[in-house]
Structure formats: C-alpha cells, structure tokens
Amino acid sequence: MEENHCNGNSQSLLNLPKIKFTKLFINGQFLDSVSGKTLETIDPRTGEVIASVAAGDKEDVDLAVKAAREAFDHGPWPRMSGAERGRIMTKLAELIDAHVEELAALDTIDAGKSFHLGKIVDIPGAANTLRYYAGAADKIHGKILKMSRPLHGYTLLEPIGVVGHIIPWNFPTTMFWLKVSPALAAGCTMIVKPAEQTPLSALFYAHLAKLAGIPDGVLNVVTGYGPTAGSSIASHMDIDKVSFTGSTKVGRSIMQAASASNLKQVSLELGGKSPLLIFDDADINKAVDLALLAIFYNKGEICVAGSRVLVQEGIYDEFVKKISEKAKSWVVGDPFDPKVNYGPQVDKKQLDKILMYIEHGKREGATLVTGGKRIGEVGYYVEPTIFTDVKEDSLIAQDEIFGPVLSVIKFKTIEEGIRSANNTKYGLAAGIVTNNIDIANTVSRSIRAGTIWLNCYFAFDSSCPFGGYKASGFGRDSGMQAIHKYLQTKAVVTPLVNSPWL
C-alpha cells in the first residue's frame, strides 16, 4: 500500500506548540507534586519526550479532595443559582473557542490525533458540550408527589458532592468535557485524573476554568499514573462519586475499591467490540465507506469502533473486494498534515499490543487481505489492517484491540446476524446498514448495546445519552441523563392538616 508518511524530527519541531502548564492544578493553583516526581509525556509521532509533567500521588489526591470538599461544603458553586453556573460555563466555552488551534495541537502531539479534526470536531465539540449543560444548569427540577395519605411530598435534586473523574487517552478533550460539564451543571466539585499518556490539554483546561471564573477548588486536575493517583481517587473516603472511562479490567478494580472504601457511587464506560451489520439490500458503496470510517477513524482508538463487520452472504465477496481496495487509499502519517487520514497510535505499548493481535489473527487462520505491518521505525504507525474469513469466536473477533484492525465475518440469515452481533461480552454500540425498515426495527431491538446507529456511524450528539450494556459498563454520558449521575434525590414530606383534598 502507498502511504504519505511524514514524521521526521524537523516536522515535529515545527509543529510543537509551547507547553505552558505541566504542574498539578489544585485549589486554583498550579503546584508541583508533593513528592516532586514527574512523568514524561511522549510525542507518538517520534517517540521523543514533549515535557515532564508533575506525577501526582496519594498525597496530591488528598490535597485536591480537601480543596474540592471545602469548595462543596462551604463554597459558592453548589449554592449559586443554576443560571449563574450556566453563565460561567458559557464564558468557559467561549475561552475554549478562542484557543482552538493551541488545544488541538496539544492533543495532536500528546495523543497522535488529527490536528485538522481536532480543530473542527474535538475542540468545538467540547465547547458545545459545555454550552449544552450550561443551558441545562437552571433546569434541574424535582417533582411534586401525589401522596396516598394526608401528606405533602416533593423531591429535591441535590448535587452528589465531590466527584472523581478518571478519563482515557484516546479523546483527551472530548472525554474531559463529557465528564466535567454535567458535573459542573449539577453543582458538584471535582478532581480530574487525565490519562498519564495525555495530560497536557487537561491542564490547559484547568487554566481556562480559572480565567472563566470557576471558583477555586471546584475543578482540580491531578496528573499521574493509574495505579497511584487513579487508585487513590477510587478508594478515597471523601469522594462521593467516581466516573471512569477506560478498560473493563480497570473498571472492575475501581468498583472493588469503591465498595471497599465508602461505597461511593460509580459509573463506568468501558470496552467495546461493536458490530456493524450489513445486509444484502444495502448500498454497498455506502456500506464500505461506513465500515472504513467505523474502524479507522482516530486510528481505531475508539471504544465504539466498528471492529467487527458482519456481512450477509449475498454481498460478502463484493464487499470484501471493495473494502480491501478502498482501505489502501487511507493515508497514514504525521497528523498535522491535513491530507493524512490518521496518525500514530498513542504509545509504544499500544503499538505492540496491536501488532500482537495481528499475529494472533494470522495464527488463527484468518485471511490478511491488506495491511498488517508497522510503518517505519520512527513513531508508532500501523497500516490499515483487514482480516476476512474470521471465526467469530477467535481472539481478534472477541478482544478489544483498540487499533486499526478490522474483522470481516459472513452471515446468512437475519437471525444468524443478530446472534453473531450479540456474541460478545461487550455491549457499547452497533451499526446497521439496510434499506428495509422491518430489518432495521427488528435488528435494532434485538442487539444488546447502548447505542444503535442506522445507516450511519459515530452519530454522537450532546442531547443523546451514551453508555453500555454488559461488560461495557453502566451509567450514561451525554443527554440529560448524564446530569442525573451527579445528583441525589431527596424526598421531603410534611403532614397535611385539615386539607380539603390530598
């Protein structure tokens, strides 16, 4: 295959933005870690060190929680009107808009993400998420209850308290604001632990929050490693809620820590092995384009990647031929180049994991029709890779690879397609490509997954709830349901004396 692969050091230095924030953000101040330890954040285009960032530990989490607890118990944020919180959040969204290029560049050098897509999708999308929840902040209402006895009852929706957000490296900006925005709207205070691979934009957002007028202690950012800073958040006795996006394995450990500590509430958005079902009546060219987008967008580092394409036997051979040819047109290279479709994997560990699964696929007897190799020796680039003749119980069809590796599986009947789609421990998302409304209705109601996309893929929106079934977790991001993750329901009841009616 032909790639426009440009990842030399001179290019990297030209595109390297100035790194302004590398310390922990606690109680409105940038601070060194208590231990003085740092971690190196790496540019995946080159493998070179971008910056040394403070490595927070238990002592730093304790300081951040103390600040967040003080801000919740005695500070203005939970006590101001929803309208006032919304006004400050809107100002913060405007500050994000004013720094689009710089923020997109930070996510590009930290995560290998497309600079072009960062400018038009990730960063504006984050600002719009903030605006959505800014508009919702004054619409958090309880209910009047119609009691069966002479009692007057109503419910209050109150902020849950101090929240710990532990976010992943594949969408540093998007995930930061998916978690932070509804929690801010609800009136919570919080600690954010970004992934150790991608800390830079989170620290920049903390700076912007201070500029916007978010009170000190409301939003704290502790950079560090999962087994230290992350586990300290999960087990902390003074955190009321943990929201985590990441692997199912780590999600289980967070639940255990939450249970063993103070029984804090937990919401989890975990792994996926999402199926894309393509039926005989589908527009095959549209289906091919959707399938390529579903697996290769963001170099396959996306929890809802359509990593299993299930194709009905009537169009299977033609589909395989077309997708194999079209995959070769995807350009892999420096993510600052607007002509590049995707850039490097996030780090060497992820690169090695993807290459290991590709070797598994070969050994399991699947047919490698395109890709399958690392590109170059500098940076962490992988060819767009497609396997056919994949057995649905094989490792590459069951495990979340989190890279640009697609398994194509043939099915005969609608029932067989549904069964194959559900043959996974995960249940995050699925796609269906068909022109038959009866097939669309039947299949969408039969697949056990939190999001079903009909004749589209990655159709996200701030108003649409998102989350998983089964081992993909529980709780919902986006939509009004996300705010309720950060609220408690309190019932208030008083006697009715001599009332003419209940």
Side-chain angles (χ1 to χ4, degrees):
M1 84 182 261
E2 297 179 1
E3 298 92 7
N4 177 16
H5 186 59
C6 48
N7 64 330
N9 292 354
S10 59
Q11 176 94 3
S12 300
L13 293 172
L14 284 172
N15 292 325
L16 196 67
K18 183 179 179 182
I19 309 303
K20 299 176 180 176
F21 307 105
T22 59
K23 298 183 179 183
L24 313 178
F25 187 78
I26 298 175
N27 204 24
Q29 302 295 322
F30 283 103
L31 305 171
D32 290 320
S33 61
V34 171
S35 67
K37 292 179 181 176
T38 60
L39 60 88
E40 292 181 340
T41 187
I42 305 296
D43 187 338
R45 301 176 301 159
T46 63
E48 298 169 0
V49 176
I50 306 167
S52 293
V53 176
D57 211 331
K58 181 182 183 301
E59 292 79 9
D60 305 287
V61 170
D62 288 343
L63 289 174
V65 174
K66 183 180 179 182
R69 175 56 61 192
E70 178 69 19
F72 184 78
D73 290 345
H74 304 293
W77 189 254
R79 290 159 188 82
M80 67 176 63
S81 69
E84 180 64 10
R85 285 200 299 271
R87 186 191 67 78
I88 296 171
M89 291 169 67
T90 299
K91 184 177 180 181
L92 178 50
E94 291 167 355
L95 287 171
I96 292 173
D97 283 338
H99 293 84
V100 165
E101 294 247 346
E102 192 168 5
L103 288 162
L106 289 176
D107 282 350
T108 297
I109 62 168
D110 228 7
K113 296 177 65 66
S114 163
F115 179 59
H116 172 69
L117 290 175
K119 289 192 296 181
I120 65 171
V121 178
D122 293 44
I123 313 303
N128 288 336
T129 297
L130 254 176
R131 289 188 180 94
Y132 176 87
Y133 289 105
D138 62 353
K139 300 171 184 66
I140 299 171
H141 306 302
K143 295 180 179 179
I144 301 296
L145 306 176
K146 185 68 173 177
M147 311 286 268
S148 61
R149 299 163 51 204
L151 300 168
H152 172 61
Y154 62 92
T155 59
L156 295 172
L157 298 180
E158 298 181 345
I160 199 167
V162 177
V163 179
H165 300 293
I166 304 174
I167 61 174
W169 43 256
N170 58 327
F171 282 84
T173 287
T174 303
M175 296 311 306
F176 187 101
W177 291 110
L178 271 181
K179 305 295 186 184
V180 167
S181 301
L184 286 175
C188 294
T189 62
M190 63 209 71
I191 301 94
V192 182
K193 207 294 281 184
E196 54 263 31
Q197 296 90 340
T198 54
L200 297 178
S201 60
L203 294 171
F204 201 108
Y205 289 125
H207 162 69
L208 295 183
K210 173 99 172 177
L211 292 181
I214 301 287
D216 292 349
V218 172
L219 175 61
N220 306 275
V221 176
V222 176
T223 54
Y225 295 102
T228 51
S231 64
S232 297
I233 289 171
S235 60
H236 205 286
M237 295 296 291
D238 214 15
I239 289 178
D240 302 297
K241 160 81 186 214
V242 170
S243 176
F244 170 74
T245 293
S247 73
T248 300
K249 179 182 178 182
V250 175
R252 286 194 177 96
S253 68
I254 287 173
M255 282 196 73
Q256 290 169 348
S259 173
S261 54
N262 61 343
L263 277 176
K264 61 178 65 66
Q265 289 192 29
V266 177
S267 59
L268 304 172
E269 193 258 282
L270 306 174
K273 195 69 181 176
S274 300
L276 175 63
L277 291 91
I278 300 171
F279 289 88
D280 282 344
D281 69 295
D283 178 328
I284 196 164
N285 291 317
K286 178 180 180 179
V288 165
D289 288 341
L290 279 178
L292 290 169
L293 174 72
I295 186 58
F296 296 145
Y297 184 79
N298 202 52
K299 54 300 198 324
E301 293 176 347
I302 182 166
C303 52
V304 290
S307 53
R308 293 184 298 145
V309 171
L310 312 178
V311 186
Q312 201 163 14
E313 62 179 359
I315 60 170
Y316 178 86
D317 291 340
E318 184 182 1
F319 177 87
V320 167
K321 180 181 178 183
K322 284 180 177 288
I323 196 169
S324 302
E325 285 300 314
K326 204 154 191 179
K328 295 173 184 176
S329 68
W330 276 64
V331 180
V332 183
D334 191 296
F336 279 100
D337 184 345
K339 297 175 184 175
V340 161
N341 293 106
Y342 70 76
Q345 311 306 136
V346 71
D347 61 12
K348 179 69 160 53
K349 181 180 177 181
Q350 188 62 22
L351 171 74
D352 291 342
K353 175 187 172 185
I354 294 164
L355 295 175
M356 178 199 72
Y357 273 110
I358 290 172
E359 292 306 309
H360 269 298
K362 294 176 184 176
R363 286 198 298 271
E364 290 174 326
T367 301
L368 178 64
V369 295
T370 189
K373 297 190 295 294
R374 179 179 181 176
I375 302 171
E377 295 299 321
V378 179
Y380 311 129
Y381 298 84
V382 178
E383 292 178 333
T385 300
I386 298 175
F387 283 100
T388 60
D389 306 313
V390 178
K391 298 180 179 69
E392 63 177 79
D393 291 323
S394 65
L395 207 62
I396 61 169
Q398 289 295 322
D399 283 12
E400 184 179 41
I401 299 172
F402 225 63
V405 181
L406 176 63
S407 294
V408 183
I409 300 169
K410 185 191 297 185
F411 70 92
K412 293 183 180 180
T413 65
I414 295 173
E415 293 73 22
E416 184 183 331
I418 292 168
R419 183 198 55 75
S420 183
N422 285 328
N423 182 19
T424 173
K425 64 183 177 182
Y426 298 113
L428 199 53
I432 301 166
V433 187
T434 180
N435 290 314
N436 185 315
I437 188 65
D438 295 327
I439 292 175
N441 284 334
T442 297
V443 178
S444 61
R445 283 159 173 76
S446 300
I447 295 176
R448 292 184 50 74
T451 300
I452 310 293
W453 289 304
L454 298 174
N455 295 321
C456 59
Y457 213 84
F458 298 139
F460 293 108
D461 191 83
S462 295
S463 62
C464 185
F466 171 73
Y469 284 26
K470 301 191 287 186
S472 290
F474 47 84
R476 293 295 180 265
D477 291 316
S478 294
M480 289 300 290
Q481 284 187 352
I483 286 187
H484 288 271
K485 292 196 305 185
Y486 305 108
L487 295 168
Q488 294 271 34
T489 300
K490 176 184 286 181
V492 181
V493 181
T494 184
L496 283 174
V497 180
N498 298 323
S499 174
W501 51 71
L502 294 181

